[in-house]
Amino acid sequence: MAFATRQFLRAISTAAAKKLVVKHVTVIGGGLMGAGIAQIAAATGHTVILVDQTDEILNKSKKGIQESLKKLAKKKFADKPEEGTQYIEKVLKNLTTSTDPVSVVHSTDLVVEAIVENVAVKNELFKTLDKFAPEHTIFASNTSSLPITEMANATTRQDRFGGLHFFNPVPLMKLVEVVKAPMTSQKTFESLVDFTRALGKTPVSCKDTPGFVVNRLLVPYLMEAVRLFERGDASKEDIDVAMKLGAGYPMGPFELLDYVGLDTSKYIIDGWHQLEPENPLFAPSPLLDKLVEEKKLGKKTGEGFYNYQ
């Protein structure tokens, strides 16, 4: 009897430690990042539900996904257009949309959040979904700069919560930062790494530190370029040329700032400055603040450090 009991307990322990194989994915947020994540998940055989607030947003998201798939199919099936059409149809069959996140998380394995970079809004979303998602469901945020731990603490599943930071454009960029917060279980972390690989991406692991790996290095570099320009040490044009020709970067820092959006960069650096006000790497920039105040946000508004009009 004792032997049978030990076997039973061992079986339970083994089952509990087994990694979750993600098959059903719910992506919250139909913007560029959310739509891109939904696309690659559907393209790799996952059942995907893309969620946003209105059908209008979701129709725009789905149209963007279709256009992206057409471009990929044109390259992938250049000599076999019929196979390209079949590929697009197959991917789209794996993708549905909804405006009601609560009603669709009941059968999902993974929730990936890709909404506005506002921790209060994200916390409220996760707090609500936590009440309706199954116990096994893993929650992940695509945030590029906000603390994963704070979002996890808005739920009762801190051990089943992590970060999955994708890069834009999602279908083309190979990297995903898999963020392990202090309470993230090893089982959850490994499941997220496996999911990343199943998408055809390359995962890198990181603790829950401001900016994770890429942005922790990239944003201070961009800010130092702005400070160099603010001091009058070099023109923005020469700084861009120097980094492209001297460091081999595809874009200069000012070109990249305009591409990313000056408001996004300001939001990140302001958040980090609040966390570590004594850290000189996180010091705000008067020039960046001025441009954002004037609504000169970069390419998306037609003007930032450069004029695109």
Side-chain angles (χ1 to χ4, degrees), residues 43-297:
T44 48
H46 298 84
T47 302
V48 183
I49 302 176
L50 179 60
V51 180
D52 212 308
Q53 293 175 320
T54 68
D55 287 324
E56 185 182 357
I57 294 172
L58 289 168
N59 288 336
K60 186 179 178 182
S61 302
K62 205 157 186 181
K63 186 178 178 182
I65 291 171
Q66 288 172 331
E67 290 302 316
S68 176
L69 287 171
K70 283 179 184 176
K71 289 178 183 177
L72 289 172
K74 194 173 181 181
K75 290 181 181 178
K76 192 174 180 180
F77 304 98
D79 300 325
K80 300 174 182 177
E82 288 183 6
E83 288 187 20
T85 302
Q86 290 171 1
Y87 165 76
I88 294 170
E89 290 173 353
K90 185 179 178 181
V91 173
L92 293 176
K93 277 183 183 177
N94 291 333
L95 176 66
T96 56
T97 59
S98 174
T99 56
D100 185 5
V102 166
S103 68
V104 299
V105 295
H106 60 84
S107 60
T108 196
D109 297 320
L110 173 66
V111 172
V112 182
E113 166 274 315
I115 63 173
V116 63
E117 281 286 85
N118 182 307
V119 73
V121 177
K122 291 177 188 285
N123 286 350
E124 190 59 36
L125 172 69
F126 283 124
K127 184 179 179 182
T128 301
L129 297 183
D130 188 42
K131 299 172 185 174
F132 297 93
E135 188 178 342
H136 78 276
T137 304
I138 295 172
F139 284 5
S141 175
N142 179 56
T143 183
S144 61
S145 62
L146 298 173
I148 297 296
T149 303
E150 185 175 344
M151 288 180 264
N153 287 341
T155 75
T156 59
R157 62 183 77 215
Q158 290 96 330
D159 60 324
R160 286 150 287 154
F161 204 114
L164 280 178
H165 180 218
F166 293 80
F167 291 80
N168 188 33
V170 178
L172 300 179
M173 298 293 278
K174 291 292 184 183
L175 184 69
V176 177
E177 292 175 323
V178 183
V179 185
K180 187 179 184 184
M183 293 292 287
T184 307
S185 71
Q186 186 63 22
K187 171 185 167 183
T188 295
F189 172 72
E190 289 175 6
S191 297
L192 290 174
V193 168
D194 287 351
F195 172 67
T196 301
R197 290 192 174 120
L199 298 179
K201 302 298 185 185
T202 300
V204 293
S205 63
C206 183
K207 291 183 179 179
D208 188 16
T209 185
F212 314 134
V213 176
V214 174
N215 281 335
R216 182 60 182 260
L217 297 173
L218 178 62
V219 174
Y221 150 72
L222 295 174
M223 294 304 296
E224 190 57 28
V226 176
R227 294 184 195 109
L228 195 67
F229 176 49
E230 281 179 320
R231 293 194 300 266
D233 294 338
S235 70
K236 60 181 183 292
E237 292 83 3
D238 281 351
I239 293 170
D240 276 351
V241 169
M243 293 312 296
K244 285 189 287 186
L245 300 185
Y249 289 6
M251 299 174 78
F254 293 96
E255 291 171 327
L256 185 55
L257 280 161
D258 278 355
Y259 177 78
V260 170
L262 303 193
D263 53 336
T264 302
S265 299
K266 173 177 162 52
Y267 183 86
I268 292 171
I269 207 69
D270 285 353
W272 293 359
H273 181 63
Q274 286 181 353
L275 289 173
E276 299 181 26
E278 302 304 318
N279 192 332
L281 293 175
F282 300 163
S285 156
L287 176 57
L288 182 64
D289 291 347
K290 179 175 178 289
L291 289 170
V292 171
E293 189 178 343
E294 294 172 351
K295 306 296 182 188
K296 296 175 181 177
L297 309 181

